[in-house]
Amino acid sequence: MFNNEIFKQAIKSVDFLQFRPVDESKPLQISYYRCLVDTEKVNQYLLPGIQENIDSLRRLSDIKGLIPFEDVTVIADTAEVVGKLTKGYVIIQFEGDDLHYLLVDVNHASMGHRKSNETENEFSVIGPKVGFVENIEVNIHLLRQQINTPALILEQITVGSLSNTKVLIAYIDGVTNSRHIETMRQRLQAINFDVVFDSSQLTQIITDHTNTPFPLLVTTERVDRVIFSILSGQVAVLSEGSPYAVTAPSTLLDFFISAEDYYLPWILASFFRVIRIVGVLFSIIASPLYVSVLTYHFEVIPESLLQPLIYSRIHVPFPPVIEVIFLEVTIELLREAGARLPSKIGQTLGIVGGIVIGQASVQAAFTSNILLIIVALSALASFTTPIFNMANTIRLLRFPFILLAALWGGLGIAVGCMLLLGHLLRLKSLGTPYLAPLFPFRKGHFADSLVRLSYRHTSNRKGFLKPLSKKRYTPDKENLEHD
């Protein structure tokens, strides 16, 4: 008789198959989940190999040489058998040997995964468009394609008591600081969660500070960004079923770096990076400044602007703070609606809705046309952030600054800036200060931070990551004419 006690739960499922490959008189039984295995491989390679040699089989190990599969093992651990069954393995039992099971990996890894791997949320005009997909084996292949060295180490950790999700830690041996590797390993191993759906869940669980709106780990779908982070001495985390990778330790300035910065001349790249940082500051401060000036500080308005400003608000019955909150909430509603709808409908809604609601609000005297321009520019400036998680944080930060400006004017904005700076100074990412190299101040580490200098000056890895190998490459000497 066969030991079917370990399959007592699986038998209840309609997609679970258990049968004898030939007839009832033969001493073999096969069990697997139909939805998890590649049935074509089972029917063409596994079953014929067993059926043609069924009479010569005396034990489970005899089957190994009959089937053309790489991962074929005989084990006795029933707990491991159940785990492998849910991972797409075929379980073969031999009648009379209740203590051993033959496991054959016939997992249909490509089923249900998308074929296209172009980046969707981190688009760039130049440079590679390759992004990660939900298949972790494909993601490993994409990393190995670019980093052609055995020094690229991949460690596997299983996370999730119900999902048993495969999570990989990727780093360069001899480059990445062992403290970062060990910290990431300990945090992943300490996770006590039932199901892990995506890498974004892991970032919330393993982050240094949970009570902050700022993302402390970079979540990206771009392969080139992850490769650059690994080569710089950071640790990357890949999760099964997720098209995003997590890199750490990360700093605040990492969220304003675009992949295009390294494919453009350094002067253009530095200019665009500064534009992004200035745009973010404008996005946070512009609306609160409008509230502050119109509520408390009329004296700072030049005479040439005073008359147009009075005409624009002469029929608006609300105080500036209500006017600003109304428009900001309207913009957020348009953003959320556009993000949740199909792409073509969402784009149409954003454009038409913004024009119609903005024009109607001005004509109905709900808001002034000057504020409409300010809020629209603030929304545009927030879109310049390359990382989506940081863009969400910027959207949130405007509202407390608006309330502080309504309470205390310019003093309220100053108080908000001090509180924000104090909060940022406390944050750490995998034990590394979040504001590095600004704090602690590192004089020689600004070649690739606020700006990106020429490749002649970016040969060193970032010192605050404490890499074991400081040099990324040796810059060439000045090109000389030899004609």
Side-chain angles (χ1 to χ4, degrees):
M1 294 296 293
F2 297 104
N3 179 19
N4 289 324
E5 184 65 22
I6 63 172
F7 303 120
K8 62 180 181 180
Q9 287 184 314
I11 292 174
K12 300 176 184 178
S13 298
V14 68
D15 61 333
F16 179 73
L17 294 183
Q18 191 172 62
F19 60 92
R20 298 197 183 203
V22 183
D23 55 53
E24 294 297 324
S25 64
K26 301 303 180 182
L28 281 183
Q29 178 177 271
I30 294 179
S31 308
Y32 60 86
Y33 280 106
R34 184 179 65 250
C35 63
L36 295 178
V37 304
D38 190 338
T39 54
E40 184 178 349
K41 291 181 180 179
V42 172
N43 295 328
Q44 291 188 6
Y45 304 106
L46 179 64
L47 293 180
I50 293 176
Q51 291 168 343
E52 293 171 4
N53 302 274
I54 189 68
D55 294 327
S56 62
L57 297 179
R58 298 292 179 266
R59 54 185 181 274
L60 286 175
S61 58
D62 295 340
I63 304 176
K64 283 188 175 183
L66 304 177
I67 52 178
F69 294 100
E70 180 181 359
D71 190 354
V72 182
T73 55
V74 178
I75 64 172
D77 187 356
T78 56
E80 187 176 353
V81 170
V82 175
K84 294 293 188 180
L85 182 68
T86 58
K87 291 294 184 181
Y89 279 71
V90 169
I91 312 299
I92 302 177
Q93 295 171 272
F94 200 87
E95 192 171 17
D97 189 359
D98 296 341
L99 301 179
H100 294 89
Y101 306 86
L102 183 71
L103 277 63
V104 185
D105 185 7
V106 200
N107 176 34
H108 202 326
S110 61
M111 179 182 289
H113 293 294
R114 58 190 170 102
K115 303 299 181 183
S116 172
N117 65 338
E118 290 190 2
T119 55
E120 297 180 0
N121 299 318
E122 297 177 65
F123 182 78
S124 63
V125 178
I126 59 175
K129 309 294 190 298
V130 181
F132 291 113
V133 296
E134 288 79 4
N135 191 332
I136 197 168
E137 298 298 330
V138 174
N139 295 339
I140 295 173
H141 169 73
L142 294 174
L143 288 180
R144 291 280 185 195
Q145 262 190 328
Q146 297 294 325
I147 308 178
N148 299 309
T149 172
L152 174 61
I153 306 299
L154 297 170
E155 295 185 13
Q156 179 177 329
I157 297 174
T158 302
V159 177
S161 58
L162 295 180
S163 62
N164 291 317
T165 304
K166 184 194 299 183
V167 176
L168 297 179
I169 302 176
Y171 60 91
I172 300 292
D173 190 23
V175 172
T176 308
N177 192 294
S178 58
R179 182 172 65 87
H180 301 324
I181 302 169
E182 184 61 29
T183 303
M184 181 63 77
R185 185 187 298 123
Q186 289 179 357
R187 292 186 184 181
L188 289 173
Q189 291 174 341
I191 292 177
N192 184 13
F193 216 68
D194 51 359
V195 177
V196 176
F197 292 101
D198 191 77
S199 299
S200 57
Q201 278 185 298
L202 293 177
T203 61
Q204 298 179 57
I205 299 171
I206 66 177
T207 186
D208 296 61
H209 303 270
T210 56
N211 299 321
T212 177
F214 287 90
L216 301 182
L217 308 176
V218 171
T219 305
T220 178
E221 63 177 343
R222 294 188 63 98
V223 176
D224 54 353
R225 180 186 281 273
V226 173
I227 290 173
F228 180 80
S229 299
I230 294 176
L231 295 176
S232 297
Q234 293 174 290
V235 181
V237 176
L238 304 173
S239 176
E240 186 177 25
S242 174
Y244 287 87
V246 179
T247 60
S250 305
T251 65
L252 180 64
L253 295 176
D254 287 342
F255 292 89
F256 303 104
I257 296 176
S258 171
E260 282 185 326
D261 293 349
Y262 302 99
Y263 307 130
L264 292 172
W266 72 269
I267 298 177
L268 293 176
S270 300
F271 173 73
F272 293 142
R273 190 176 294 183
V274 171
I275 286 292
R276 284 186 220 113
I277 297 173
V278 172
V280 166
L281 296 176
F282 176 84
S283 179
I284 297 173
I285 299 297
S287 297
L289 273 178
Y290 176 87
V291 174
S292 171
V293 169
L294 265 66
T295 306
Y296 296 100
H297 311 296
F298 276 108
E299 67 277 3
V300 303
I301 303 175
E303 291 184 7
S304 57
L305 293 178
L306 191 58
Q307 187 175 2
L309 190 58
I310 291 174
Y311 283 150
S312 69
R313 293 201 77 256
I314 193 169
H315 297 297
V316 178
F318 306 113
V321 61
I322 301 298
E323 184 187 4
V324 169
I325 290 178
F326 168 75
L327 268 186
E328 290 286 359
V329 171
T330 302
I331 292 292
E332 295 303 321
L333 289 175
L334 287 172
R335 279 180 173 178
E336 285 299 307
R340 303 293 173 262
L341 290 171
S343 58
K344 294 182 180 179
I345 302 176
Q347 293 173 3
T348 305
L349 174 70
I351 297 171
V352 176
I355 295 173
V356 172
I357 294 176
Q359 186 65 24
S361 299
V362 173
Q363 290 184 351
F366 268 59
T367 182
S368 65
N369 49 16
I370 292 180
L371 176 61
L372 187 64
I373 295 172
I374 292 175
V375 171
L377 290 175
S378 298
L380 285 175
S382 66
F383 286 131
T384 61
T385 310
I387 304 296
F388 180 71
N389 292 341
M390 182 58 73
N392 289 338
T393 301
I394 294 164
R395 291 164 59 182
L396 173 66
L397 288 177
R398 285 202 294 268
F399 289 96
F401 271 89
I402 290 170
L403 296 178
L404 287 172
L407 288 175
W408 300 312
L411 177 62
I413 296 177
V415 169
C417 291
M418 295 300 295
L419 292 175
L420 180 61
L421 181 59
H423 177 70
L424 290 173
L425 289 172
R426 293 179 58 251
L427 297 180
K428 290 185 177 182
S429 175
L430 222 64
T432 300
Y434 193 53
L435 288 183
L438 300 173
F439 177 84
F441 183 76
R442 295 291 183 266
K443 181 180 178 182
H445 297 163
F446 286 89
D448 189 13
S449 54
L450 295 173
V451 295
R452 182 187 79 79
L453 298 183
S454 168
Y455 281 123
R456 299 185 187 281
H457 304 286
T458 58
S459 58
N460 291 331
R461 294 185 171 92
K462 299 175 181 178
F464 54 83
L465 294 175
K466 295 181 172 56
L468 302 182
S469 175
K470 295 183 178 181
K471 282 284 185 183
R472 288 176 52 220
Y473 56 88
T474 302
D476 294 332
K477 296 181 180 180
E478 293 290 339
N479 293 325
L480 300 176
E481 293 288 345
H482 297 288
D483 295 343

